[in-house]
Amino acid sequence: MTSALQVFMLPDLGEGLTEAELLNWLVAVGDEIRVDQPIAEVETAKSVVEVPSPYAGTVTVLHGEPGQTLEVGKPFISVAPVGAPVPAAEAAAETYREEEKAGSGNVLIGYGTPGGSGATGRTRARRSSVAPRPDNGTTPPVPSDAEKAADDLLLLRTRVPGKLGAVISPLVRRMAREHGVDLGAVHGSGDSGLIMRRDVEAAISSPAPAAAGPAAVETPVSAQAPSPTPTPAAEGTDSRTGLGISARTPVKGVRKAVAANMARSRSEIPEATVWVDVDATAMVELRAGLKKSDPHKTPGLLAFIARFVTAGLKRFPELNTRIETTSEGSQEIVSFAGINLGFAAQTDRGLMVPSIRHADRLSARELDGEIRRLTAVVRDGKATPEELGSGTFTLNNYGIFGVDGSAAIINYPEVAILGVGRIMDKPWVLDGGLAVRKVTELTLTFDHRVCDGGTAAGFLRFVADAIENPGSVLADL
């Protein structure tokens, strides 16, 4: 039997992303939706995005709950096409299994599907009221069709992403209810993780945790005898330190991506670091003079340094590359016809690195405009995957945090990162005498596989010289 149910798989929302956290649904079961209508908000490792539907029709199943982390390529939403009868819960579940195996519905965002003439308004389906069952010890009545449908849809909506976990047989569901078996904790032995009768019978016959040895007995907190000191296994107490645990924060979203990226960078890249102190007085004075004459169009100091960096990368293109491993297992250094300059921006969601595309073509004023625009975008959580994942070199201004220097970790898969410390008054030898100058520290961390120290030092010295004598490089501002 061919069913009209369409299952939309969660697509890759960025450059190689494998998962996304579901923030909230914008539609509900029973709603009528149109092609490209936003159906949910999800948070990837890079940004918060709205996911549009490639199908028009009536929503039958939402495969996930807000707060869950969903896998790319797994079912996201099931839709009955416009004009087709909405399948009953049993048929919807069966069709879902068939189409999941076939891989149907895996349509990329923005492409849509033919037949997008669905209704544009949201129409919430009515929910049938189910009378409570009497608890008088008699044989429970046969569930109504409405009860079955509600039961099945609940099971499908609360299943674990990436696993079928659905129970199709009414007998199995009733057996689980009568014996108090939590189906969410049962591992299905059937095809695609289908929970079978034997699985529920095994759960019923398995000894309860309380029947285990004395060491495994868990007594409710209210029933425990008072103890002068907490035991190492007490809830909320760390067994190693003996201190109370104040919070547990899941590592997910941006923090999870940053952790994975930094760990991979440190494990794969043989990095080295060079640094130099720089007299930035001339650059600071130049900007101050420009600000007096035109306060609204004067670039920030970071834009000046970004302009020096792009000029330096043109002279030392080895630092604007990427190392890739071929299918045969050999490595290649990939060079680029242009520079996408990333810069670190601190946000409420963590450290983000948006990139200025074709930064080598921009003047200092244009770079300043892009820095301001991208900073606002990432702080609002609206940056696109292209704006966050396309950098070829990163500039990190950690001086805004009031620190002098740092050996930064390379933003994998790039091969170098330049850090800029705070600009502060320091004694400096100038023309044979001491003077108070505006001094900053530049730190370059680079991948030793793509170049040697001479290239890294040459680039760093070029940027330092440009900061000390900015006029020539900033001729176009």
Side-chain angles (χ1 to χ4, degrees):
M1 178 185 69
T2 302
S3 172
L5 190 66
Q6 298 167 311
V7 182
F8 174 40
M9 309 295 183
L10 180 65
D12 181 358
L13 301 171
E15 185 179 321
L17 297 178
T18 60
E19 63 184 21
E21 180 184 351
L22 176 60
L23 297 181
N24 63 281
W25 289 107
L26 304 179
V27 297
V29 172
D31 285 0
E32 293 184 6
I33 59 176
R34 64 182 185 277
V35 172
D36 290 335
Q37 175 180 334
I39 56 177
E41 286 185 330
V42 299
E43 180 179 15
T44 69
K46 297 183 176 181
S47 60
V48 176
V49 297
E50 289 185 344
V51 180
S53 172
Y55 302 125
T58 303
V59 178
T60 59
V61 183
L62 302 177
H63 300 285
E65 294 293 336
Q68 283 186 318
T69 298
L70 308 179
E71 298 177 26
V72 169
K74 298 300 182 180
F76 191 57
I77 188 172
S78 297
V79 179
V82 177
V86 178
E90 296 269 343
E94 181 66 28
T95 302
Y96 154 67
R97 289 200 313 280
E98 293 177 357
E99 296 197 359
E100 184 185 41
K101 294 174 186 176
S104 64
N106 197 2
V107 181
L108 293 178
I109 288 180
Y111 285 84
T113 58
S117 57
T120 58
R122 289 183 55 185
T123 305
R124 185 67 54 88
R126 295 182 181 178
R127 298 184 178 182
S128 303
S129 59
V130 180
R133 298 180 180 178
D135 188 10
N136 53 11
T138 61
T139 303
V142 177
S144 65
D145 291 340
E147 288 176 313
K148 291 180 182 178
D151 189 20
D152 281 349
L153 286 176
L154 178 62
L155 287 171
L156 286 170
R157 290 184 65 183
T158 57
R159 70 181 189 84
V160 178
K163 298 179 180 178
L164 183 57
V167 185
I168 303 305
S169 170
L171 175 62
V172 175
R173 291 199 302 274
R174 187 176 67 183
M175 183 185 300
R177 285 196 300 268
E178 292 176 352
H179 292 84
V181 175
D182 180 10
L183 292 174
V186 175
H187 297 283
S189 61
D191 188 23
S192 299
L194 184 66
I195 298 177
M196 311 295 289
R197 176 175 178 173
R198 60 178 177 266
D199 301 319
V200 177
E201 290 175 342
I204 295 172
S205 61
S206 297
V217 175
E218 293 184 4
T219 307
V221 175
S222 59
Q224 291 179 356
S227 174
T229 57
T231 61
E235 185 176 357
T237 302
D238 179 58
S239 60
R240 186 180 68 85
T241 64
L243 299 176
I245 298 174
S246 60
R248 291 183 181 273
T249 305
V251 180
K252 59 183 180 179
V254 172
R255 178 52 53 196
K256 182 178 180 179
V258 170
N261 196 49
M262 297 298 100
R264 186 172 185 182
S265 177
R266 272 288 162 89
S267 65
E268 293 188 16
I269 297 178
E271 62 185 33
T273 304
V274 290
W275 60 91
V276 64
D277 287 339
V278 182
D279 180 2
T281 306
M283 181 180 69
V284 173
E285 291 176 347
L286 173 63
R287 183 177 183 274
L290 292 173
K291 195 173 181 66
K292 286 183 180 179
S293 59
D294 193 351
H296 301 294
K297 293 184 179 181
T298 302
L301 292 176
L302 185 62
F304 287 164
I305 298 174
R307 183 70 184 85
F308 304 149
V309 167
T310 58
L313 290 175
K314 290 179 181 179
R315 290 202 179 187
F316 301 91
E318 298 92 333
L319 296 173
N320 187 54
T321 59
R322 179 177 296 179
I323 287 188
E324 293 183 355
T325 302
T326 66
S327 56
E328 293 79 17
S330 60
Q331 291 185 325
E332 295 178 341
I333 297 177
V334 181
S335 302
F336 302 103
I339 300 168
N340 288 351
L341 183 62
F343 64 94
Q346 192 67 36
T347 73
D348 293 338
R349 298 174 59 240
L351 184 67
M352 311 288 282
V353 186
S355 59
I356 304 170
R357 298 174 70 86
H358 303 293
D360 51 308
R361 303 177 185 176
L362 304 182
S363 66
R365 282 197 176 95
E366 292 168 334
L367 287 168
D368 184 71
E370 277 297 278
I371 290 172
R372 295 177 187 276
R373 182 188 71 82
L374 288 169
T375 299
V377 166
V378 296
R379 287 177 176 169
D380 291 339
K382 300 299 183 182
T384 65
E386 291 76 15
E387 289 172 330
L388 289 171
S390 60
T392 59
F393 185 94
T394 296
L395 175 61
N396 186 7
N397 179 24
Y398 42 73
I400 59 174
F401 301 113
V403 297
D404 298 339
S406 171
I409 299 176
I410 297 172
N411 185 23
Y412 185 92
E414 297 170 12
V415 298
I417 181 172
L418 179 68
V420 183
R422 60 176 175 167
I423 299 176
M424 59 185 300
D425 291 341
K426 280 187 176 183
W428 192 264
V429 176
L430 182 68
D431 298 329
L434 283 177
V436 177
R437 306 291 286 180
K438 302 290 185 182
V439 178
T440 186
E441 181 181 278
L442 300 181
T443 306
L444 177 70
T445 303
F446 65 99
D447 188 335
H448 224 313
R449 295 174 298 177
V450 301
C451 67
D452 296 323
T455 299
F459 168 80
L460 188 62
R461 191 65 254 173
F462 176 91
V463 176
D465 291 344
I467 291 175
E468 294 181 346
N469 301 282
S472 58
V473 178
L474 289 178
D476 60 354
L477 277 187

